[in-house]
Amino acid sequence: MLRTVCLLLLLIGCVGNVAAQVPEPPQQPFLRVEAAAHTAPVARLATDAAGRMLASVSDDKTLRLWDLPEGTLRAVLRPPIAPEAEGELYAVALTPDGRRAFVAGWTGAAWDRSYAIYLFDTGSGRMLARLPGLPAPVQHLALSADGARLAAAFGGRAGIRVWNATNGAPLWEDTGFAGPARMVAFEPRGPRLAASGADGRLRVYDASGRKLVERVPLANARPFGLAWSPDGGLIALGFEDRLQVEVLASSDLRAVFTPDLAGLEGEGLPAVTWAQDGSGGVQLHAAGYARRAVVARGIATQRDTAPAEFIIRRWGDYGLGGFTDVAAARDAIAHLLPLPGGGLAFAAADPGWGMLAPDGRLAIAPRPPGADFRNTGAALAVSADGTRLRVSLRRNGAPLVFDALAGTLGTGSPGGAASGAFAQARTESTKLVVTNWQDTNSPRLGRTRLALGAGEFARSLALLDGDAGLLLGTDNHLRLFNAAGRPLASLPVPGAVWGLALAGDVAVGALGDGTLRWWRIAGGTITEQAALFIHAETQRWVLWTPEGLFDHAPNGGQELVGLHLNGGRAQTPEWASFQQAYRALYAPAAVRARIAGDGAPARARLAQLGELRARVGRLPLLAPESACAVTPAGCTELAWDSRSLPEGATALRLRFATTDRGLGLGPLDVLVNDRIAARAEPELAAGTRGNAGALEAEVPLDPGPNRITTRLYAEDRTLFAEGPALDLRRAGAQAPPEAGRLVVLAIGVNRYANPALNLNFAVPDAEAVARALRARAGGLFRDVQVTVLRDAQATRRGVLAALEDLARTTKPQDTFVLYLGGHGVRTEPDQRFLFLPQDATATGDWATLRRQGIEDSVLVAAIARIRARDGLLLLDTCHAGQLTLDQLSALGNETGRFLLAASTSVQEALDSYDDRNGVFAFAVLEALGGRAAADGEGRVSALALGEWVMRRVPQLAAEKRHRQDAVFRSASRDLRSFSLAIVPQP
């Protein structure tokens, strides 16, 4: 503890005078993709001494912590950021115990005019301190084996520096580099430090900084990666511009041998390491830009075009033995890191990281979450009105069509009937002749060079209509030029613009961070309209405006983007995903209007919200206090970094500390595998706002793995803070889950205590859906339990009692369906969903309505007590005109259950579709009857039912000359559907 205090005092105190004179990090919200994986090339990796944690850093401005050997994401740590390069991370080092992470890159320059290293606590994710005043971006960091010394390699010609890692005191430096320093590495069990540089030299120093030896290993080449052999006797050196590896004696850097590189092609091998095989053997590895060369009759012919074409070469016997090649990544490999238990991890530009097992097998492959627009962006096409896109997410992948106004993502064929509705960018014209624009820094319009920044490369081109000018997409900007090549406007972008398409004054770009972005090009300006991110594996998507209003896919996506909010230069930024601000920012109508060119709805919504940034920055804090697992023998204490459950554990008892930061305290929700499993209300006494409190919850566990997440709401319940999480596994093989019951609670109210509220078809709809679920259950369930509450049975007390009864009897293996048919209203001014039970009489008095109705928060709390692993909420409500699907969608987000809802006017609710059922119920019955997609055995899933009803309700309503929409939503990050019905096969 004393050492940490000294470090904080030294690192923060030494810049106190400067901090008051220079600007702080920008305070506007930054909207960032968060796909539980890196979205830009991964630069460096680090591990703790035990090999239980891996750290990775990326150009996407995040440090990510992963549990080994599973490779599951543990935490995301964020430095302060700014537009363009500020915040990009190129280097990371973990202390031997894994409790601290040093991280750096292009960090601090935007406000300090110099660079900084940040120190993070890996447990809390908080920034502890920073080491400022550095002369250039940090390219690499290394800690000595005892954790006592920290070394940094700088870009430019700033050389290297070494500090005391426990108190930040500088020890020594070498500024005699004629080019960027590339890597630094401490001897595994000794005092020496080696450093490579782009000036062609390799250097070795003693602990005091005295240079022991310096050598140019290969003339006119640029050394990059270096690694000490486990015994410290050898150094392996890779080159960024040569397909070569040199193994040198560490004592005098004389050449010892060159490993066999036959059969490879590529620009260089900048990553090298030795790694153990777990059986006492040591292998040498190298990677970078190397690919296999396919050889016929001794002549290199075509290159292997497998998806993972960048290889790691692995030589046995310290590099003297034979080799094997492992196809590891789809893009260049930047770093190889040996793991303490054997094998290695590697960083790739895919983006992502992977792992080789000790025996050389590819144990984990990089899994980029977004599209690979580097290879597919050139095929981007747009509809004439700019609202539909056609794009491929992967090379050789089927094209997809996204309709922003309909909120749909589906397949599309370039040769299909609708292919003519899409147009790709024009890049050639007799009037505007643009040359040298692909992957260069010197594009030209005729003889005029188009101005770019230093080191900025052009990646895509689109000529404006009528040849009035051109758009150029680069590594970091979208640039607008007139027909003479004069710059008119430029806009920084968060990734290289690999593809462009134009529709009038609407431009669409495919970016390197996996996003598709809309801009309006008018009056010599560029204005961003919206952005879209599609998760490649699940095809979840999220669509948002620059202000942060968003829409998302039926199968989720609201967790894929969030708001990054800087504090001070030495403060941990705040983060809130769209999921956390769902009730405030979910506004599909405003998003679609913005893309169509109407910004008024978005401005009106933002005016209602007020200062969202200030509210996010004052979210309450939730900290772990204690946890224990309930077993037949009692309650076994668990550490908060535990990864396994004791045998026989059935529940967790959790205790948390809460801190109000000005927004008050709302309920605590605990979710198990993405569904709500417990809700605890705060019990702070009046007048305690701003003080700490405590909350406790007991959470039932699922068979198999249990991912526990926590949420603490602000008092108005529109925003929540994410709290501590647990990812727990059970030991040994798990028995297959036993068949559960289908539990249905259907509620319909036609005859209200106030006759003015009476309806015609709520009761028949509830009865028909309940009958259909029972009839179609087939052999899917062990038993079917159906409860229908009609009219006088569906009082407030009756509905809540029925839900409480289900909470007592429903088991984790069961499937739960709730159908609500009746009046739904939106409360004012807080805009919550309120279901009116049969005994509701008020129509205009909000205070009375709240007492008589069932507010959404009450529904959420009741659903939280129902332990069923699978659940579907069917909400068929009518209203007097003010209720929207936005309020209904929030229930899916907060419960983690599948939600399928429709909201009609009172007039529409008094009409039926077929003289028996309303439109929503009719569509549900169609789906259960076989109209929805079924698998080979005739099973209809909740996902298939939701997709059918969402498409079908507007069609049926239109036949009756009504307008009605349905919404289908899931909040699960790992979408796992479940069967609801089985349709007899012909």
Side-chain angles (χ1 to χ4, degrees):
M1 175 61 76
L2 179 59
R3 286 183 171 184
T4 300
V5 171
C6 292
L7 179 68
L8 293 174
L9 291 176
L10 179 64
L11 270 63
I12 296 176
C14 67
V15 294
N17 294 332
V18 177
Q21 302 171 16
V22 296
E24 291 289 336
Q27 297 299 294
Q28 77 269 22
F30 291 92
L31 295 170
R32 308 288 296 177
V33 173
E34 178 44 63
H38 287 295
T39 57
V42 178
R44 293 287 183 267
L45 305 171
T47 185
D48 63 338
R52 292 178 299 191
M53 181 193 300
L54 183 77
S56 60
V57 293
S58 166
D59 290 0
D60 68 9
K61 307 183 181 184
T62 66
L63 161 62
R64 294 176 185 269
L65 302 175
W66 312 83
D67 287 317
L68 293 180
E70 301 88 353
T72 53
L73 182 64
R74 173 187 287 218
V76 182
L77 282 59
R78 304 176 191 276
I81 66 173
E84 302 189 35
E86 179 61 53
E88 291 181 359
L89 301 178
Y90 311 145
V92 62
L94 286 177
T95 55
D97 62 7
R99 294 183 179 180
R100 302 287 186 268
F102 293 91
V103 63
W106 198 284
T107 44
W111 41 88
D112 283 341
R113 296 183 292 278
S114 62
Y115 298 85
I117 297 171
Y118 299 125
L119 176 64
F120 282 90
D121 181 292
T122 59
S124 66
R126 310 303 293 175
M127 186 192 297
L128 297 176
R130 66 191 201 107
L131 187 65
L134 306 181
V138 175
Q139 305 297 309
H140 190 234
L141 289 169
L143 273 168
S144 58
D146 59 3
R149 290 175 293 155
L150 173 70
F154 296 114
R157 297 185 177 185
I160 66 172
R161 288 189 189 180
V162 178
W163 296 267
N164 183 318
T166 60
N167 61 23
L171 298 178
W172 58 269
E173 65 180 351
D174 182 357
T175 59
F177 281 65
R182 291 308 194 195
M183 290 191 72
V184 284
F186 285 99
E187 187 177 4
R189 290 186 293 273
R192 293 178 294 175
L193 174 75
S196 61
D199 60 3
R201 297 179 175 275
L202 179 64
R203 302 154 171 93
V204 178
Y205 308 84
D206 68 11
S208 67
R210 182 172 63 92
K211 192 180 298 179
L212 299 174
V213 60
E214 179 177 6
R215 182 169 178 259
V216 176
L218 190 63
N220 302 315
R222 296 198 300 270
F224 199 102
L226 66 92
W228 294 82
S229 62
D231 62 2
L234 299 174
I235 293 177
L237 186 65
F239 298 83
E240 60 185 305
D241 60 344
R242 295 286 192 278
L243 201 65
Q244 188 159 337
V245 174
E246 292 286 330
V247 178
L248 312 169
S250 63
S251 58
D252 56 8
L253 299 185
R254 59 182 169 82
V256 177
F257 66 90
T258 299
D260 185 358
L261 292 163
L264 294 182
E265 65 175 15
E267 298 78 10
L269 288 168
V272 293
T273 198
W274 270 285
Q276 301 186 38
D277 62 7
S279 302
V282 176
Q283 288 76 38
L284 178 64
H285 301 74
Y289 312 113
R291 301 173 291 272
R292 291 194 191 100
V294 179
V295 178
R297 295 182 182 177
I299 301 173
T301 58
Q302 65 183 14
R303 192 195 321 154
D304 177 14
T305 56
E309 62 177 329
F310 287 80
I311 65 98
I312 298 173
R313 176 152 289 188
R314 181 177 188 261
W315 297 273
D317 192 17
Y318 270 78
L320 294 168
F323 65 80
T324 57
D325 289 337
V326 182
R330 295 184 300 187
D331 211 331
I333 296 170
H335 190 205
L336 299 177
L337 177 74
L339 298 175
L344 60 83
F346 62 92
D350 282 29
W353 65 274
M355 192 164 72
L356 296 192
D359 62 3
R361 291 178 300 103
L362 183 64
I364 296 176
R367 296 180 62 185
D372 180 18
F373 289 136
R374 179 171 187 153
N375 289 305
T376 67
L380 174 67
V382 64
S383 63
D385 64 357
T387 64
R388 291 189 300 144
L389 309 180
R390 189 183 68 212
V391 67
S392 293
L393 303 184
R394 293 281 187 264
R395 182 171 53 185
N396 301 323
L400 298 173
V401 172
F402 180 76
D403 188 324
L405 300 188
T408 59
L409 178 69
T411 58
S413 171
S419 62
F422 295 91
Q424 294 179 235
R426 283 191 312 122
T427 59
E428 296 181 355
S429 164
T430 57
K431 183 178 178 182
L432 298 181
V433 180
V434 185
T435 58
N436 209 35
W437 60 267
Q438 292 178 295
D439 305 326
T440 78
N441 181 249
S442 55
R444 293 182 178 276
L445 174 58
R447 296 182 178 180
T448 302
R449 181 167 177 170
L450 301 173
L452 301 183
E456 179 183 3
F457 280 60
R459 304 299 185 184
S460 56
L461 170 70
L463 303 180
L464 303 185
D465 288 350
D467 291 337
L470 62 95
L471 275 176
L472 203 62
T474 77
D475 290 327
N476 45 40
H477 281 83
L478 182 67
R479 296 188 180 275
L480 176 65
F481 299 86
N482 68 10
R486 183 170 64 86
L488 298 178
S490 67
L491 188 72
V493 292
V497 185
W498 294 111
L500 283 169
L502 284 173
D505 64 352
V506 174
V508 181
L511 273 61
D513 67 346
T515 62
L516 294 147
R517 294 182 184 254
W518 282 259
W519 301 283
R520 196 158 298 276
I521 312 298
T525 64
I526 305 172
T527 307
E528 184 169 335
Q529 300 293 106
L532 169 71
F533 181 82
I534 303 171
H535 191 271
E537 185 175 341
T538 64
Q539 294 192 10
R540 304 193 320 275
W541 55 262
V542 57
L543 176 69
W544 70 96
T545 71
E547 302 86 0
L549 304 179
F550 76 97
D551 189 11
H552 68 91
N555 58 334
Q558 59 268 48
E559 79 286 358
L560 292 173
V561 174
L563 290 80
H564 174 114
L565 303 173
N566 291 325
R569 69 194 62 219
Q571 291 180 311
T572 310
E574 302 279 353
W575 171 263
S577 69
F578 285 168
Q579 186 171 42
Q580 293 173 251
Y582 198 97
R583 287 187 179 270
L585 298 178
Y586 177 67
V591 174
R592 295 168 189 178
R594 180 71 183 270
I595 291 175
D598 180 8
R603 290 192 295 271
R605 179 63 175 265
L606 291 170
Q608 293 175 351
L609 291 178
E611 183 47 63
L612 184 64
R613 188 210 184 286
R615 295 174 64 202
V616 170
R618 293 187 290 130
L619 279 171
L621 299 179
L622 185 67
E625 283 198 345
S626 63
C628 69
V630 178
T631 70
C635 205
T636 303
E637 185 176 351
L638 286 180
W640 280 92
D641 59 355
S642 295
R643 292 295 177 263
S644 61
L645 281 167
E647 185 176 355
T650 59
L652 292 179
R653 290 176 186 161
L654 307 173
R655 180 178 173 86
F656 305 91
T658 63
T659 303
D660 173 24
R661 295 197 294 169
L663 298 182
L665 295 175
L668 162 72
D669 285 348
V670 183
L671 287 81
V672 175
N673 294 328
D674 291 328
R675 73 173 190 278
I676 190 168
R679 168 165 280 195
E681 295 287 347
E683 297 182 356
L684 289 178
T688 59
R689 172 170 290 192
N691 296 326
L695 286 172
E696 296 180 351
E698 181 163 324
V699 186
L701 294 171
D702 284 351
N706 284 262
R707 184 174 62 254
I708 313 297
T709 54
T710 54
R711 303 171 175 178
L712 179 61
Y713 282 85
E715 190 173 33
D716 68 0
R717 308 188 185 203
T718 60
L719 301 169
F720 66 77
E722 291 185 329
L726 288 163
D727 200 345
L728 301 167
R729 299 291 188 270
R730 296 182 187 272
Q734 302 300 311
E738 60 181 270
R741 300 176 303 150
L742 175 64
V743 179
V744 180
L745 175 59
I747 298 165
V749 184
N750 276 354
R751 298 290 175 259
Y752 279 87
N754 180 349
L757 299 174
N758 285 352
L759 300 171
N760 290 342
F761 294 97
V763 170
D765 287 349
E767 293 173 334
V769 170
R771 281 196 305 270
L773 286 167
R774 181 191 289 277
R776 294 298 187 193
L780 293 174
F781 305 97
R782 176 169 53 82
D783 190 17
V784 180
Q785 174 186 319
V786 175
T787 302
V788 181
L789 301 185
R790 307 167 181 84
D791 290 335
Q793 298 170 312
T795 61
R796 188 178 193 278
R797 177 177 293 180
V799 170
L800 295 180
L803 289 168
E804 187 60 34
D805 183 61
L806 293 182
R808 287 192 297 270
T809 59
T810 304
K811 305 296 184 185
Q813 62 267 30
D814 294 340
T815 296
F816 168 63
V817 179
L818 172 65
Y819 180 95
L820 284 179
H823 276 289
V825 297
R826 183 184 70 190
T827 63
E828 298 294 347
D830 53 351
Q831 300 186 6
R832 313 288 297 195
F833 168 68
L834 189 70
F835 180 74
L836 299 187
Q838 188 274 340
D839 50 344
T841 57
T843 57
D845 178 1
W846 286 116
T848 304
L849 271 175
R850 288 177 193 275
R851 290 195 304 272
Q852 295 180 344
I854 303 175
E855 197 180 55
D856 52 23
S857 60
V858 177
L859 273 178
V860 170
I863 292 168
R865 293 190 289 272
I866 296 174
R867 296 184 59 191
R869 180 183 58 177
D870 299 322
L872 174 64
L873 310 180
L874 298 170
L875 306 184
D876 187 5
T877 58
C878 64
H879 61 92
Q882 87 280 15
L883 185 64
T884 69
L885 296 180
D886 298 14
Q887 288 85 36
L888 300 179
S889 294
L891 282 176
N893 182 68
E894 293 177 10
T895 62
R897 302 294 192 179
F898 282 80
L899 177 131
L900 182 56
S903 188
T904 65
S905 70
V906 173
Q907 180 57 49
E908 291 165 341
L910 294 174
D911 297 333
S912 74
Y913 179 77
D914 60 352
D915 295 327
R916 292 187 298 274
N917 297 111
V919 166
F920 178 78
F922 187 88
V924 171
L925 296 173
E926 281 187 330
L928 295 173
R931 298 292 298 277
D935 65 12
E937 298 180 17
R939 290 174 298 200
V940 178
S941 68
L943 182 59
L945 182 145
E947 291 175 341
W948 171 264
V949 173
M950 189 172 63
R951 291 195 306 269
R952 187 67 169 141
V953 163
Q955 299 170 355
L956 296 173
E959 292 177 18
K960 294 296 181 179
R961 298 187 178 181
H962 290 311
R963 179 169 181 172
Q964 185 178 353
D965 292 317
V967 62
F968 175 56
R969 291 290 182 259
S970 169
S972 175
R973 298 182 186 218
D974 300 319
L975 184 65
R976 184 186 59 79
S977 191
F978 52 92
S979 297
L980 275 173
I982 190 162
V983 179
Q985 298 297 289

